[in-house]
Amino acid sequence: MPTELDAHLLNTDPPDHTRLRCLVNSTFTPRRTELLRDDIQEITDRLLDQISARRRADIVADFAMPLSMEVICRLLGVPQEKRFDFRAWTNTLLSAAAGAVPQSREAMRHMYRFLGALIDGKREIPGDDLLSALILAHDAEGRLAADELVAMAFLLLFGGYHNTASLIATSVMALLSHPTHMSDFRSGDLTVHAITEEALRWNSPAMLAVRRFTTQHVHIGDMPTVTGDRIWLSWAAANRDAERFERPEVFDPHRGNNSHLAFGHGLHYCPGASLARLENSVAVVSLMSWFPEMSLIDHPDRLRWVASPRSRCLRELRVSPGLFQG
């Protein structure tokens, strides 16, 4: 992978992390994120209008992925004609198929060239978007190094697209496969916030934190480590910890004190968490409002998931929309 794509928030500690975090925090505050609601609703309604003309649809390909892709690309200012390529490269990076390593390396090289060209274009014609603001922080203010600029753009695009799409698909699947919870949701006894938080815990979109390295000899459980060992922390495992959650394998949006780790914790808590929650809220509420008779085509036990150690995402979620409310 090009080293320039490594110099982002997840791979730095203070004081560099603090400097980089400050550059994006103002964009992803809950208040500023809420200002995006109308844009998210417009994109959502357009996609649902397209689905309404069909007898069946794939929530992943026809709704969750294009919604999350368009939202983050609008925020960063990525041209429409470049979005399909980025989506294909991202899917390659998440693949666990045999022989995928060379393909992943090629996808990273494509991403690096793509981001470099995008940044050059915005230098000439800045826009009212986050990437133009980051370019200003690099060119005029000197708060961002060249490799940090490219890596920041990569991290925001990658994380803002796939993880949010995974959350939307999982939330929809969870409701459609649990009629009692669906009934509670429709009656107002269950909030979309509770559904979102439980979906994040139950099937965390990002299963692993980024790699960490020990700075001294420590024991993790019964396993000894030495200085310099590489450690992978599993958010997904923590969110299914039976000592922390009662019946952790069960989707139960009524459970109390659902303090999951799907967005990380502490310094590296996901800056886009409020945006992901908002997108999921608009998506779920709108989808169930437009199609009150929507049902799964495949039994929940037969749903297929992407074979990836990093991402927990459905390959597809085929549904019959039912009658369109209008």
Side-chain angles (χ1 to χ4, degrees), residues 122-270:
K122 288 192 173 294
R123 278 199 173 98
E124 296 182 10
I125 308 176
D128 184 20
D129 54 69
L130 178 54
L131 186 53
S132 294
L134 292 175
I135 292 170
L136 176 64
H138 170 264
D139 293 351
E141 302 170 12
R143 292 191 292 153
L144 201 63
D147 57 345
E148 292 172 339
L149 173 59
V150 178
M152 185 76 79
F154 165 69
L155 177 64
L156 293 173
L157 271 173
F158 188 89
Y161 159 53
H162 205 275
N163 290 341
T164 304
S166 302
L167 170 59
I168 293 170
T170 295
S171 298
V172 174
M173 179 272 289
L175 275 177
L176 293 179
S177 57
H178 294 83
T180 300
H181 296 324
M182 176 66 85
S183 177
D184 289 344
F185 174 64
R186 294 200 182 284
S187 68
D189 291 333
L190 185 60
T191 66
V192 71
H193 173 76
I195 293 165
T196 298
E197 298 310 306
E198 178 65 352
L200 285 164
R201 183 205 65 81
W202 184 52
N203 276 306
S204 305
M207 296 195 292
L208 296 174
V210 293
R211 64 190 185 276
R212 291 287 177 259
F213 299 90
T214 56
T215 58
Q216 60 185 8
H217 296 1
V218 295
H219 276 75
I220 301 177
D222 296 329
M223 180 177 294
T225 69
V226 298
T227 302
D229 275 355
R230 179 183 298 181
I231 306 296
W232 292 96
L233 304 175
S234 174
W235 292 326
N239 289 336
R240 291 283 188 103
D241 185 353
E243 294 184 7
R244 174 64 184 82
F245 300 101
E246 183 179 355
R247 299 189 306 158
E249 74 286 353
V250 174
F251 177 78
D252 179 12
H254 288 291
R255 72 172 70 244
N257 191 22
N258 191 356
S259 53
H260 58 76
L261 296 176
F263 289 121
H265 181 71
L267 284 176
H268 294 284
Y269 186 79
C270 176

Side-chain angles (χ1 to χ4, degrees), residues 68-144:
S68 61
M69 174 61 77
E70 184 157 353
V71 170
I72 195 63
C73 283
R74 280 194 188 185
L75 186 63
L76 283 164
V78 178
Q80 181 73 39
E81 64 272 15
K82 295 295 184 181
R83 297 173 187 177
F84 179 82
D85 289 338
F86 189 86
R87 178 173 170 177
W89 298 329
T90 299
N91 291 341
T92 297
L93 290 178
L94 292 170
S95 174
V101 172
Q103 297 173 3
S104 295
R105 289 173 178 167
E106 183 64 19
M108 293 300 293
R109 286 191 286 267
H110 280 303
M111 280 188 175
Y112 178 66
R113 291 192 291 266
F114 157 72
L115 292 170
L118 181 62
I119 289 169
D120 289 342
K122 288 192 173 294
R123 278 199 173 98
E124 296 182 10
I125 308 176
D128 184 20
D129 54 69
L130 178 54
L131 186 53
S132 294
L134 292 175
I135 292 170
L136 176 64
H138 170 264
D139 293 351
E141 302 170 12
R143 292 191 292 153
L144 201 63

